[in-house]
Amino acid sequence: MTAPTSRRTLLGTLLAGAALAAAPAPPATDRPGSRRGAPTAPTARAGRTGTLLLGTYTSSDGGGTGIGAAGYDPSTGTITGRATVTGVDNPSYLAEHPSGATVYAVDEQEQGGVTAVAVGPDGTFRVLGTRSTGGAGPCHLSVHPSGRWLLSANYTSGSVAVHPIAADGSLGERSDLVAHTEPAPGPGQDGPHAHQIVTTPDGGHVLAVDLGNDTVYTYRLDLDRGTLHEVARATLRPGAGPRHLTFHPGGRSAYLACEVDNTVVVCGYDPATGVLTPGDPQSTGTGPGTSYPAQFLVTADGRFAYLANRGHNSLTRYAVEDGGAALRLIDTVPVGGDFPRQIAFSPDGALLFAANQRSGTVTVFEVDRAGGGLRRTGSPFAAPVAVCVLPLAPRHG
């Protein structure tokens, strides 16, 4: 897609639950308007309840006022509204620290930022502060498995950034910023558009997926300095528009959703060199035209993969074959909402959550681990401009 403003929607309803504002304190960040906040009320007080965090656009009409925080029943998938973590602008993508003690959000706007939010053992949240990404429109972020570095992708300006993570989960000043200045943009693109940055399963490399120039960059991350060093590039066919890549648990294969030409690509990965080798484009199962495929998920046992199709409003099911090196299309399943922007498994893999941007809802599916089937459960949960869903592990009160 194009710049962040064109990716937002004006549809959506307010998240059930009271908005709990974080009390401001002197900022400890490098960007005006950054905040540190007092803890909100607990989102889960008793019982075996999971926490569901919801990303949105705060600048859109009908959008949220921060990060939505709801509860969910791990056995039934039922979602109940709780609260909103305010003090975060346009938190359109969320990621959890390996410790579970902190979550991070992009601030998808012209002066892009990343925000750290502490998660208390009692289920409270506290905004720790925001740092500039050095670019525009950050739309994705991930935490390095070491827990020491936050990686982010600036969509509008086509660059990727690195921030150090302190012991308390807060962010330090940016340690690197790399712009994707080449190759030339793909057909119909106005420049590079970094859409994802993720660490490989072996931990040896970092991959950055750029939709604008049809390229996946492989970097080596200096774990002492927090700098990125390019070691390889994978070039997709012109106009593919690669958006999101997910690895098979075996670590030798990855599945790439190509937004613009409505295809998926199975890629081989060499941990020794960091080289990613794309295969031939395959069908999304959604018919002719483009359906804006958004994101893959792969089951923990590596037997099935699921693809969110925004235009088709469906989830494509694939059987994973040949040790991860092949995908066999099974069918498509209606998502029960409009424009599924992002999908996520519950921590135990028993549930699949879909954030439906245009309908302002989250739908939930039970995952049949034996056959890979999806069964929608419960009623859609209202969430304003739902563009991201992050299930956290259940807590005991």
Side-chain angles (χ1 to χ4, degrees):
M1 303 291 283
T2 55
T5 53
S6 68
R7 303 188 319 178
R8 299 173 191 149
T9 178
L10 301 183
L11 301 179
T13 56
L14 292 177
L15 174 67
L20 303 175
T29 64
D30 60 359
R31 187 162 67 83
S34 302
R35 307 168 181 86
R36 281 180 178 262
T40 67
T43 61
R45 294 181 182 274
R48 188 174 179 270
T49 302
T51 297
L52 200 67
L53 299 184
L54 303 165
T56 186
Y57 285 117
T58 59
S59 61
S60 293
D61 290 345
T65 55
I67 301 172
Y72 73 92
D73 185 324
S75 60
T76 66
T78 300
I79 304 173
T80 53
R82 299 295 177 91
T84 300
V85 183
T86 60
V88 189
D89 299 322
N90 287 337
S92 64
Y93 200 87
L94 310 168
E96 185 180 12
H97 190 276
S99 68
T102 318
V103 294
Y104 300 92
V106 298
D107 295 22
E108 189 177 344
Q109 48 198 344
E110 185 63 28
Q111 299 297 322
V114 282
T115 296
V117 180
V119 182
D122 57 353
T124 59
F125 297 94
R126 181 167 58 92
V127 176
L128 299 177
T130 298
R131 295 285 185 180
S132 169
T133 62
C139 65
H140 186 270
L141 80 175
S142 62
V143 182
H144 188 269
S146 67
R148 296 172 51 198
W149 305 100
L150 183 71
L151 313 167
S152 58
N154 294 307
Y155 177 85
T156 308
S157 54
S159 60
V160 292
V162 185
H163 289 81
I165 299 175
D168 66 352
S170 62
L171 298 171
E173 294 184 2
R174 188 177 62 250
S175 58
D176 203 4
L177 178 67
V178 179
H180 295 164
T181 57
E182 55 181 33
Q189 300 293 330
D190 58 0
H193 293 304
H195 214 303
Q196 183 194 27
I197 184 165
V198 63
T199 305
T200 57
D202 62 287
H205 298 94
V206 170
L207 300 184
V209 179
D210 197 298
L211 182 151
N213 58 22
D214 302 314
T215 300
V216 181
Y217 299 83
T218 299
Y219 295 101
R220 180 179 60 83
L221 174 65
D222 186 320
L223 293 178
D224 294 323
R225 299 184 178 183
T227 52
L228 295 169
H229 306 273
E230 185 181 336
V231 298
R233 292 181 189 177
T235 303
L236 282 296
R237 65 176 183 172
R243 174 187 176 94
H244 190 280
L245 175 147
T246 301
F247 272 90
H248 183 269
R252 294 281 184 162
S253 301
Y255 313 120
L256 189 58
C258 294
E259 173 180 317
V260 178
D261 72 357
N262 194 40
T263 64
V264 301
V265 175
V266 179
C267 304
Y269 169 69
D270 181 0
T273 62
V275 171
L276 191 75
T277 304
D280 295 329
Q282 298 180 218
S283 172
T284 63
T286 60
T290 184
S291 191
Y292 305 107
Q295 179 195 358
F296 265 110
L297 288 181
V298 184
T299 56
D301 61 10
R303 298 178 57 221
F304 300 99
Y306 306 95
L307 174 71
N309 302 296
R310 289 170 292 169
H312 196 246
N313 288 331
S314 67
L315 302 174
T316 303
R317 296 193 305 150
Y318 295 92
V320 179
E321 300 177 337
D322 195 17
L327 291 178
R328 175 174 56 83
L329 193 153
I330 300 175
D331 60 13
T332 59
V333 178
V335 76
D338 190 358
F339 218 67
R341 170 76 170 267
Q342 191 256 348
I343 53 179
F345 286 130
S346 59
D348 62 3
L351 301 171
L352 185 152
F353 298 89
N356 304 303
Q357 181 175 356
R358 291 181 177 168
S359 57
T361 58
V362 175
T363 46
V364 187
F365 295 82
E366 293 179 349
V367 181
D368 178 2
R369 303 189 192 214
L374 297 175
R375 186 180 73 85
R376 191 147 59 92
T377 179
S379 300
F381 178 77
V385 189
V387 292
C388 184
V389 56
L390 177 63
L392 304 182
R395 294 176 180 272
H396 293 271

